[in-house]
Amino acid sequence: MWQSNPPGSIYDYIRVASFSMGPDGLVDQWSARATELFGIPANEVKGKDPVEAFMPPDLRPRGHRKVAEILDGREWTGLVPFRAPGESSTRGIAELYVMPSETADGERGASCIVVDVRALRRIETDLAASQAIFGQSPFGFLLFGTDLTVQRANRRFATVFGGSVDEHRGRTVHDYLSRPEAERMTAALERVLRTGEAVTDLQLTGSVPGSSERRHWSVNLYRVHSGSGRPVGVAGVGTDVTRRHIAAREAASARRNLAILNEASARIGNSLDLETTARELLDVAVPGFCDLASVDLYQGLLTGDEAPPGRATDGGAELRRVAFASAVSDTPLMNPSVNPGRTPGCCDTVPIDVGAVHRYPFNSPCAGALRTGRLQSLPGADGSLVQSTLVVPMVAHDTVVGLVQFSRTKGSEPFGERDRALAVELAARAAVCIDNARLYRREHERALILQRSLLPPGDPEAAGLDIACRYLPGNTATEVGGDWFDVIELPGHRTALVVGDVMGRGLRAAVAMGELRTAVRTLAQLDLEPAEVLSHLDEIARGLGTAGSPGRSARGPERSEVYLATCVYAVYDAVTRRCTFANAGHLPPVLVEPGEEALLLDVPPGMPLGVGGEPFEEVEIELPEGALLALYTDGLVESRDHPLDEGLQAFRSVLTDPARPLEDVCDHVLNTLDTRHGEDDIALLMARIQGLPAEAVGDWRLPREPRSVGRARELARAQLTTWELDPLIDTVELLVSELVTNALRYGEGEIRLRLLRDRTLVCEVWDAGLVQPRRRRARDTDEGGRGLQLVGLLSTAWGSRRTPRGKTVWFDLPLPSDSAPSEPTVDQLLSMF
């Protein structure tokens, strides 16, 4: 049987043609390939002279000579131009192999083999190009057969994987790659060989002989065919992309770090609470930057102590674990420390709970980081889940405020230089925010202490009033405000009720509030009318912005700080149950009469304190027994979520049962109203009207004559006897005698004597004179001038105030059941002389 070569052999590319010549030099045989090459069928060429038929005329003589030599028995090889019959120009060049032959009769002929030179040149060019691409390529080149074994490898591949080119023949991908990677590569080869679809950028990892470095390759695979289109194998081109992977990983790490820093800028420092700021840091770091993280802050910062000047000296101060975060489930709160039994620097792990107060050993890396203020990089302990830890001190303004630890577990990418720089940056940003929070908290606490110190201590008491009050400062996320209230006892069992609010927040507002409150108390003791008190306060508020402002003259008055405040000032008289109001831009008081709905009192609001130029008006209202009066600041009824009118209506609606105990009413108001959880300070002052009963008041008018002195003593004695205050009779008679005598001597008009009994005994002597009494020291030779000295010595308090029609001189004595002052000593009595 004849077996043909498979399609795609070299002869299919060369296409060899043949013919033969007889002894006469004419063509006697013509192959089919010759017909294809020359384009002439056999019946047209047999019996013809090939020189005459195919060679140009100018070459024919030389052709005849060569044919004669061949027929004489000589072989010849050469290049011969040829043309097809009927063509005038040269068609091509043939490489001719001529071999002498003999016929059966012994005559000489010739056999000729012809190859088209152009086909040979194409083959040579293709081979040269193939060899250049395959052999000289800077990339690893492999040719796999249909059995997936290496048929050929180039020098670059052999250089990388060792050995000569021939030594790689017959190997498989399992000889170069790990089993998982080799199986991926084999599957790709089978798919390309089966489908003919190329595979591009197949990513493989491995290592080369003699090196443990992890390499990355990008492999392209395509199927190779023979000339007839039959698949003969798979070609693979591999490129080492390790550097590209490293660069891409670094770029990705840089982008991640920038993203983390951007997130840190947005999320860290939104709160002025130290613990919250620490948790914000860990929310940014875990899991984007590390797997485990913890924050320790100095205990002194958390308890309000001043931060140490500069860096910590020993790193051994107490710290508190304030935050911990983990991206790994069931991970204990671990902390690196030095095992005393091992080499310094070797770390064990000791659990520290959040909230625990602890110290780091002096020779531990954590204490070293606190002392030096520099990052420490620690490997994980044997058997620990942690691969490595960065111990980073939190430094703000050259002060170490704490320590943050970032840890990555085994299997995660190790920390690099970029990661170390990022860890320091994150810790520094958090440290600045924590230090700012510490400074704010310190100032906030100082302002709060100042503010609270200026408020009335305990439960204020007043004659004819049942009083309850509440003060709620803003929460720790807000600054203190300038809200205040006060209850001031005035002569004659009268009481001043004050509620005010300095606009603005912070320590300055609290200081301004303190100055205004002090001024109110001072003005109240002068017994001025409410509108007059607010007028003086307005002048004081305008002066606050310029007082103590260095450089004001250089900057000009337009740069002076302006303090504005609102205030309600009310004076209640327990005898008449009348209350006089004056308002400086504050919210109106609320009054609830028994059995009636709460209403806003129509008190002209006036301008805020500090504006100036506008007078204040007064409104006098008689308050019924049992009525409820409420003074408050805007924090109770105003917020960003609902307008003021809604807040006022809600406040009025909750005051539905004024007969309840006053403390319960206050609690009910604060628990019912939406006060926005302390966005602003709240001051609430409530008073229930309880006027003095008629039997507690003794009121008489005396004519302007000398006998009125004796009459005053008689009236006082009778009233004290009725009130069963006999121990006070002698003292009251003496002091009433002195005051009435002065009214007769220095005053004008009718004289009025009034005794008031409540928590103390008050005696008042009224006259129409405007000259205020003045206490003076009498000379030894003076017969008078010692009356006011005697009043001041025997009473607990005395004074004088102006009235619409003159003046009132008064003194105050404690009731016998109270701790009365001791009798004056001889020295005190002699001091009047």
Side-chain angles (χ1 to χ4, degrees), residues 51-221:
V51 175
E52 295 293 332
F54 304 114
M55 297 189 68
D58 56 333
L59 297 178
R60 289 173 184 171
R62 184 180 178 187
H64 286 299
R65 290 195 300 271
K66 292 297 183 181
V67 171
E69 293 177 357
I70 291 170
L71 293 177
D72 285 340
R74 297 180 61 184
E75 293 184 359
W76 183 81
T77 302
L79 300 177
V80 178
F82 69 91
R83 65 177 177 80
E87 295 180 357
S88 59
S89 61
T90 301
R91 181 176 180 181
I93 298 176
E95 188 168 356
L96 189 63
Y97 299 89
V98 182
M99 297 166 287
S101 61
E102 291 184 0
T103 64
D105 298 334
E107 295 180 321
R108 292 187 177 183
S111 297
C112 302
I113 299 175
V114 183
V115 179
D116 190 345
V117 172
R118 291 173 299 178
L120 290 175
R121 295 297 179 263
R122 284 196 300 269
I123 292 173
E124 290 176 354
T125 301
D126 291 345
L127 288 174
S130 176
Q131 181 60 32
I133 294 174
F134 193 85
Q136 301 175 21
S137 172
F139 309 114
F141 218 124
L142 288 177
L143 179 61
F144 295 91
T146 54
D147 59 352
L148 302 185
T149 60
V150 177
Q151 301 297 314
R152 188 175 180 186
N154 68 346
R155 287 194 298 272
R156 174 60 182 168
F157 184 86
T159 300
V160 174
F161 285 92
S164 63
V165 170
D166 294 335
E167 290 176 352
H168 292 278
R169 297 180 188 272
R171 293 184 178 180
T172 66
V173 293
H174 289 274
D175 296 317
Y176 307 106
L177 301 172
S178 63
R179 182 175 178 178
E181 295 291 83
E183 291 177 351
R184 289 180 56 228
M185 179 72 170
T186 301
L189 289 171
E190 291 175 345
R191 186 169 62 253
V192 172
L193 190 61
R194 182 178 65 257
T195 64
E197 296 179 358
V199 172
T200 58
D201 198 22
L202 175 63
Q203 298 291 318
L204 299 173
T205 59
S207 58
V208 299
S211 174
S212 60
E213 181 182 2
R214 190 177 183 85
R215 312 293 297 178
H216 297 264
W217 293 286
S218 174
V219 178
N220 298 320
L221 303 175

Side-chain angles (χ1 to χ4, degrees), residues 460-518:
E461 295 182 354
L465 292 176
D466 180 16
I467 295 178
C469 52
R470 295 289 187 275
Y471 175 76
L472 300 179
N475 58 38
T476 56
T478 60
E479 296 184 84
V480 296
D483 294 14
W484 91 91
F485 69 91
D486 209 344
V487 178
I488 308 171
E489 292 189 67
L490 300 178
H493 288 320
R494 294 174 304 129
T495 304
L497 305 176
V498 189
V499 169
D501 184 3
V502 176
M503 298 181 186
R505 309 194 65 79
L507 188 59
R508 290 181 177 270
V511 171
M513 177 270 286
E515 295 190 30
L516 290 178
R517 177 183 179 273
T518 302

Side-chain angles (χ1 to χ4, degrees), residues 591-611:
L591 179 65
V592 187
E593 297 185 11
E596 302 290 339
E597 293 183 355
L599 56 88
L600 299 176
L601 294 181
D602 187 14
V603 180
M607 299 298 292
L609 302 177
V611 174

